[in-house]
Amino acid sequence: MRIVITSGEPAGVGPELCYYLATQAWDHQLVVIADKKMLATRIEACAHSASRRSDYGLKAITLRDYDPTHLSPSVSGELTVLDLKLNAPTVVGKLERANAPYVLGMLDRAHQGLITGEFDALVTAPISKEVLDSKEHPFTGHTEYLQQKCGVKRVVMLLGCPQMRVALATTHLPLKDVSAAITPQVLTEVIEILDHDLREKFGCPNPHIYVAGLNPHAGENGHLGREELDVIIPTLEKLRQQGIDLKGPLPADSMFNAHNLKDASAFLCMYHDQGLPVLKYAGFEQGYNTTLGLPYIRTSVDHGTALDIAGQGLADPNSLKCAVALATEMVHARKRFAAAHANPKA
């Protein structure tokens, strides 16, 4: 198995977080896409920082050039690097718009390798929308960019931690636009993708999906909004008739209770800040992000570029390690799913 990792915004914590991957051995090969010279500088600074974390056994590591013809598990003390040159010098903690093509170039190279089968999964370190977004080339995030690259109609953002998985019906929208964006078609497509990928990529044979209402108290039978009555409830009922196990719509303020946490394969929330504060409170340092609906596996850290602590050795690598571990589990689950559903006559 070969997992490709994009090192993210070069001025942020992404490059130094990659260092921590080399403090342990892995059963598969990890390939980091980065400017090798920049990565070496950031890693050296991180390893020698007076304020560095001391709980990961930091030590000198060797950077190995990536050879696509050589597949072997990553060993402790080494990091395999697919060298991609920066467009401009980078200063830790300071964004440089000239490096936007470099950041997108990492994603494009990873996408190419995933489509051809060179890589089995993608893990992304955080990037800055401020650097990448422009009037000429709008950029709203990894999720939407990879969706466009893959040419798929819809993708679903799912974030998780050991306690729960939370999927989103809408993602990066102003709150005033959320209600209009929740249509029967959107909900149907999101739930069908979520149900399918829970089976294929997470190994859930019979997913239990808990769905939040949009309004307080899930609309309280129309007294606090009609979206539940007019859109959400009829859509859920049609999907139940297709065999999808759905609970709800449920009031979001009580949906994440202990009983539901034990039973739910995933929670579906109507908008970004409805479910993610709960998830990030429960497991911020162990959180991950994954994009469902793509033809390949993509996971990510559950935090931003953290420019304010970049280069100081203070960034916590747990989220990146969780994202790598999740990508590994998803690859295995997908292989089991494919084997179970293979046509014996093919």
Side-chain angles (χ1 to χ4, degrees):
M1 183 190 308
R2 179 180 283 152
I3 295 177
V4 62
I5 301 162
T6 53
S7 55
E9 165 56 46
V13 296
E16 65 198 70
L17 287 178
C18 293
Y19 170 53
Y20 295 93
L21 298 177
T23 62
Q24 68 181 71
W26 299 83
D27 293 333
H28 41 272
Q29 185 178 49
L30 305 183
V31 178
V32 175
I33 304 181
D35 182 297
K36 187 178 179 181
K37 183 178 180 181
M38 177 274 295
L39 188 63
T41 300
R42 293 291 301 279
I43 284 175
E44 183 177 3
C46 179
H48 292 89
S49 171
S51 58
R52 70 183 185 274
R53 298 175 62 90
S54 60
D55 51 340
Y56 282 90
L58 302 183
K59 57 185 178 182
I61 67 168
T62 301
L63 299 184
R64 301 289 187 190
D65 291 328
Y66 170 58
D67 178 0
T69 66
H70 179 68
L71 176 61
S72 62
S74 293
V75 300
S76 177
E78 293 186 0
L79 199 60
T80 299
V81 182
L82 196 166
D83 191 19
L84 186 69
K85 300 302 182 185
L86 286 164
N87 292 81
T90 185
V91 177
V92 177
K94 295 184 179 180
L95 299 175
E96 173 55 69
R97 187 171 288 275
N99 279 322
Y102 164 78
V103 176
L104 294 180
M106 287 189 286
L107 293 175
D108 292 344
R109 176 63 181 89
H111 168 80
Q112 175 191 355
L114 289 156
I115 292 297
T116 62
E118 178 185 1
F119 306 124
D120 294 293
L122 164 65
V123 177
T124 56
I127 56 179
S128 170
K129 298 180 182 66
E130 180 182 344
V131 167
L132 299 173
D133 190 32
S134 66
K135 292 182 179 180
E136 297 79 14
H137 303 286
F139 185 94
T140 55
H142 275 115
T143 301
E144 295 81 3
Y145 185 78
L146 295 174
Q147 175 186 5
Q148 182 180 26
K149 292 288 292 183
C150 293
V152 295
K153 182 179 180 181
R154 186 169 303 283
V155 294
V156 176
M157 180 185 291
L158 182 145
L159 295 94
C161 66
Q163 295 92 327
M164 70 188 79
R165 303 183 187 105
V166 176
L168 301 177
T170 64
T171 54
H172 302 117
L173 285 180
L175 193 57
K176 65 181 179 63
D177 298 333
V178 170
S179 177
I182 298 173
T183 65
Q185 180 178 350
V186 167
L187 268 186
T188 297
E189 292 172 355
V190 167
I191 291 172
E192 288 179 343
I193 290 171
L194 178 57
D195 180 71
H196 176 274
D197 279 17
L198 284 171
R199 297 172 188 270
E200 181 190 41
K201 297 177 181 177
F202 284 89
C204 301
N206 299 293
H208 305 298
I209 301 172
Y210 283 66
V211 182
L214 173 64
N215 296 296
H217 302 175
E220 205 166 287
N221 201 28
H223 293 289
L224 296 176
R226 292 197 55 86
E227 287 86 352
E228 286 79 11
L229 293 177
D230 296 342
V231 178
I232 300 175
I233 292 174
T235 302
L236 297 189
E237 185 55 36
K238 288 182 180 180
L239 290 168
R240 288 189 186 102
Q241 293 173 11
Q242 298 177 20
I244 300 178
D245 186 351
L246 300 167
K247 307 292 192 301
L250 302 170
D253 64 347
S254 59
M255 182 172 68
F256 297 97
N257 61 54
H259 174 76
N260 292 348
L261 286 173
K262 292 179 181 179
D263 184 60
S265 303
F267 296 91
L268 176 62
C269 291
M270 294 296 112
Y271 58 94
H272 189 279
D273 283 9
Q274 187 180 53
L276 298 195
V278 179
L279 181 139
K280 294 191 177 186
Y281 175 79
F284 184 75
E285 292 184 348
Q286 295 177 298
Y288 59 78
N289 180 0
T290 183
T291 305
L292 308 182
L294 296 174
Y296 48 73
I297 291 167
R298 177 256 170 166
T299 68
S300 179
V301 295
D302 187 24
H303 59 74
T305 55
L307 297 171
D308 57 326
I309 63 170
Q312 302 174 46
L314 295 174
D316 192 312
N318 276 326
S319 185
L320 180 59
K321 289 191 173 187
C322 287
V324 173
L326 174 67
T328 304
E329 294 169 7
M330 291 174 76
V331 171
H332 288 311
R334 197 176 196 187
K335 289 180 178 179
R336 291 193 298 268
F337 182 89
H341 292 79
N343 184 352
K345 297 181 180 180

